[in-house]
Amino acid sequence: MLASWYAGVYSSVIKSENLSNLISQSLTCQTRSVKNSDIFVAFITDQGMASKLLSSLCSSETINRQYGEVTVQWSHNEQEIIQYVGKGIADLALVKENVMLAFAAETTYRYQTVAQYKDYSTYLISLKEKPELTKQYLWGKRLGLLDYPSSRSGHIVPKGMLNDLGISESSMEIIYVNSHEALRDLLAAGKVDIISSFWKDKDEQRFSANYRTPIKTKVSGSKWYLKMETQNTDLICEIQSILQTLAMQTQSDYYSQLQLNSNDCNLSSLSHDVQLDEK
């Protein structure tokens, strides 16, 4: 079912690429190995981290030895997820675990988890009352959701809840936006009655923790996957080091928390509490 659902020196210049008639956004740089035709492709869902990731990859000695070019691709589009992850094009990918399971990509393309973010909870959040998970309460409500189906807390989990309760989308006014922050702005402005999202500490500056109701309390965090067609241990350790450094330097709650998977690299993982900002 998941597979069917998903199937429904720097140049640093943003460009459009045509891949199977899909328009994608990417950043690209050349390494010092100018005669090397191998391209290291990273696929993520967040444009904001693309340039930092590109810079780190292109300054890596390991990447410079092994590849002639680096491309960082970003998109929320399910068709592009299929292209880059489902078909094994990406060497490094930040995606949800259910994507890998849907396409059996770990087995087919030998993707290996190198790092991940913590599990989290999905809530219905209201401005003036505690939401109820009942058909009677939700009927006719204005609900704010994310407009990309790959988001679990902003799309998948609440849609599943509505289905379980026997509530059709036509019986509610569903307003779609493109970020969790936009959901919060809708709620604060009174343009929706409830939103579906995660909860972070700074939300208490705008909303009451008493007016949130958990829909699902254990949603797995996104994971970094590295394609390992050979026993390239230098690459694993280098990628983990890069991701750890980015996590330590970022100001984002989402990327500041990183758990490295155990290996022989002797890198210590980070252990700060966090709420994911792109769940």
Side-chain angles (χ1 to χ4, degrees):
M1 291 178 63
L2 275 173
S4 298
W5 176 70
Y6 274 106
V9 188
Y10 306 140
S11 62
S12 298
V13 176
I14 297 178
K15 66 179 182 179
S16 293
E17 293 185 347
N18 192 304
L19 179 61
S20 299
N21 298 319
L22 297 174
I23 301 301
S24 309
Q25 290 182 300
S26 67
L27 290 170
T28 299
C29 69
Q30 301 291 326
T31 71
R32 295 191 301 273
S33 301
V34 293
K35 295 183 179 180
N36 190 332
S37 60
D38 289 341
I39 302 174
F40 186 88
V41 179
F43 182 87
I44 59 177
T45 55
D46 186 275
Q47 179 179 352
M49 74 171 298
S51 61
K52 293 180 180 178
L53 179 59
L54 181 80
S55 177
S56 297
L57 290 171
C58 286
S59 61
S60 161
E61 290 297 327
T62 300
I63 295 294
N64 271 267
R65 284 195 299 267
Q66 297 187 15
Y67 297 90
E69 183 177 311
V70 177
T71 294
V72 176
Q73 198 86 19
W74 66 87
S75 177
H76 284 295
N77 184 285
E78 281 68 42
Q79 293 299 315
E80 296 199 16
I81 293 175
I82 292 171
Q83 290 286 347
Y84 283 91
V85 180
K87 296 185 178 180
I89 295 175
D91 295 290
L92 177 67
L94 176 61
V95 293
K96 277 90 173 177
E97 186 178 32
N98 57 347
V99 173
M100 287 292 174
L101 292 175
F103 300 107
E106 289 177 274
T107 301
T108 304
Y109 301 108
R110 300 187 68 178
Y111 279 111
Q112 178 176 323
T113 306
V114 293
Q116 62 190 74
Y117 299 102
K118 277 189 174 181
D119 295 346
Y120 58 96
S121 298
T122 296
Y123 296 92
L124 284 184
I125 304 172
S126 177
L127 190 62
K128 299 179 180 179
E129 62 180 355
K130 186 177 181 64
E132 299 176 11
L133 303 183
T134 65
K135 188 173 185 177
Q136 293 77 13
Y137 174 82
L138 294 170
W139 193 274
K141 288 289 194 297
R142 298 172 298 168
L143 172 63
L145 297 180
L146 292 186
D147 62 0
Y148 48 93
S150 60
S151 171
R152 285 166 294 180
S153 63
H155 195 105
I156 297 173
V157 172
K159 285 290 190 74
M161 173 200 66
L162 296 179
N163 183 67
D164 292 342
L165 293 173
I167 302 175
S168 65
E169 294 188 32
S170 61
S171 64
M172 302 185 70
E173 181 182 349
I174 300 180
I175 300 175
Y176 293 93
V177 293
N178 60 11
S179 72
H180 286 280
E181 193 59 32
L183 284 177
R184 285 158 172 74
D185 291 341
L186 281 180
L187 183 62
K191 296 181 179 179
V192 293
D193 301 305
I194 47 178
I195 61 172
S196 178
S197 188
F198 56 94
W199 183 267
K200 52 188 177 182
D201 292 340
K202 66 180 182 180
D203 282 335
E204 294 198 29
Q205 300 173 11
R206 305 176 76 182
F207 313 111
S208 170
N210 293 325
Y211 296 157
R212 60 177 184 174
T213 301
I215 307 174
K216 189 172 182 178
T217 57
K218 188 176 177 61
V219 179
S220 60
S222 296
K223 297 183 178 183
W224 286 97
Y225 293 89
L226 181 65
K227 190 165 63 174
M228 287 294 295
E229 296 176 312
T230 63
Q231 294 300 315
N232 196 342
T233 53
D234 283 356
L235 184 61
I236 292 179
C237 294
E238 183 67 6
I239 292 300
Q240 287 193 321
S241 178
I242 287 172
L243 295 178
Q244 186 181 49
T245 300
L246 290 176
M248 295 175 66
Q249 294 175 346
T250 186
Q251 299 298 313
S252 168
D253 286 342
Y254 180 32
Y255 297 116
S256 64
Q257 173 73 32
L258 187 70
Q259 298 176 323
L260 300 179
N261 280 39
S262 60
N263 52 55
D264 297 326
C265 302
N266 296 318
L267 296 173
S268 59
S269 59
L270 307 176
S271 58
H272 306 293
D273 291 335
V274 73
Q275 313 297 330
L276 302 188
D277 196 36
E278 286 295 337
K279 296 169 183 168

